[in-house]
């Protein structure tokens, strides 16, 4: 790698990490799958591949084209808000009606999520999340314009590395501590947090359309 390109790589990685570290719908879903210990690495893989695609789209073309059209962004925002409302309602239902207790007082095993559903949820919260498009494709893509070719590609590679580091680190942390945190109290608190976060994000998105 050209030493002069190193700042572009590091800048892209730092920007990507700063955008992705906020606990949003995508991260909340990864945390939930980690606590469930179901399809965690499959979910992490989907999130990373989504970020790779969005970053490449932003750096290689979307920024130069001026971003998404108003109609397309509005349609995506509406679809994303609907997904978040439904997902939040499911989390609130789990909070209001916690898992039943077995005869010995231990919680019954958590719901088993099929592989196809796990992939669908990860894809929906990634591709139908306007925040992901704005932060990953638009912001990172626009920031890459500060670098001429081929350094803009190096900047994008740094951003992709930041996403890979974050989701891999989050996955490892959840895999290590997920079993210890697997208790009814933690689950109820997580479900309430997810519901409020999803509904709050959906409200913010819908309000932006009005």
């Amino acid at each position: 790698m050209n030493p002069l390109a190193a700042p572009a790589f590091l800048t892209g990685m730092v920007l990507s990490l700063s955008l992705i570290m906020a606990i949003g719908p995508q991260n909340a879903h990864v945390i939930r799958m980690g606590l469930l210990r179901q399809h965690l690495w499959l979910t992490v893989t989907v999130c990373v591949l989504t970020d790779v695609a969005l970053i490449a789209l932003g750096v290689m073309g979307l920024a130069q084209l001026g971003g998404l059209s108003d109609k397309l962004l509005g349609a995506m925002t509406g679809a994303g808000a609907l997904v978040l409302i439904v997902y939040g309602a499911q989390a609130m239902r789990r909070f209001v009606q916690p898992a039943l207790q077995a005869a010995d007082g231990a919680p019954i095993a958590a719901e088993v999520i099929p592989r196809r559903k796990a992939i669908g949820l990860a894809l929906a919260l990634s591709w139908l999340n306007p925040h992901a498009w704005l932060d990953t494709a638009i912001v990172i893509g626009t920031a890459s314009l500060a670098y001429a070719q081929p350094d803009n590609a190096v900047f994008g590679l740094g951003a992709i590395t930041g996403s890979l580091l974050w989701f891999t680190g989050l996955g490892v942390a959840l895999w290590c501590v997920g079993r210890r945190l697997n208790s009814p109290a933690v689950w109820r608190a997580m479900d309430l947090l997810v519901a409020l976060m999803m509904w709050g994000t959906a409200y913010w998105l819908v309000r932006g359309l009005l």
Side-chain angles (χ1 to χ4, degrees), residues 39-86:
H39 311 299
L40 171 60
W41 296 113
L42 177 62
T43 302
V44 166
T45 300
V46 171
C47 291
V48 170
L49 291 179
T50 296
D51 276 6
V52 170
L54 290 176
I55 291 170
L57 180 63
V59 172
M60 298 304 174
L62 197 57
Q64 286 82 354
L65 294 176
L68 299 172
S69 68
D70 291 340
K71 290 185 178 180
L72 179 58
L73 183 58
M76 287 183 53
T77 299
L82 180 60
V83 170
L84 294 175
I85 291 172
V86 173

Side-chain angles (χ1 to χ4, degrees), residues 70-186:
D70 291 340
K71 290 185 178 180
L72 179 58
L73 183 58
M76 287 183 53
T77 299
L82 180 60
V83 170
L84 294 175
I85 291 172
V86 173
Y87 195 86
Q90 293 175 348
M92 182 57 72
R93 183 179 63 183
R94 291 192 300 267
F95 172 75
V96 174
Q97 298 177 339
L100 298 177
Q101 300 289 321
D104 59 357
I108 295 177
E111 63 172 320
V112 177
I113 300 178
R115 182 184 298 269
R116 181 176 298 180
K117 181 178 180 181
I119 294 176
L121 285 172
L123 287 173
L125 292 173
S126 298
W127 286 98
L128 293 179
N129 181 6
H131 277 298
W133 281 84
L134 291 174
D135 290 347
T136 308
I138 304 299
V139 174
I140 292 178
T142 301
S144 71
L145 294 176
Y147 299 92
Q149 295 183 351
D151 284 354
N152 63 331
V154 176
F155 177 90
L157 181 60
I160 289 172
T161 302
S163 173
L164 178 61
L165 289 174
W166 169 256
F167 282 114
T168 301
L170 183 61
V172 170
L174 290 168
W175 187 259
C176 293
V177 305
R179 192 180 301 277
R180 299 177 184 177
L181 297 177
N182 191 8
S183 69
V186 172

Side-chain angles (χ1 to χ4, degrees), residues 189-207:
M190 183 65 192
D191 285 332
L192 178 60
L193 176 63
V194 168
L196 295 177
M197 182 182 303
M198 299 297 175
W199 286 345
T201 304
Y203 171 77
W204 183 85
L205 293 174
V206 172
R207 183 178 180 182

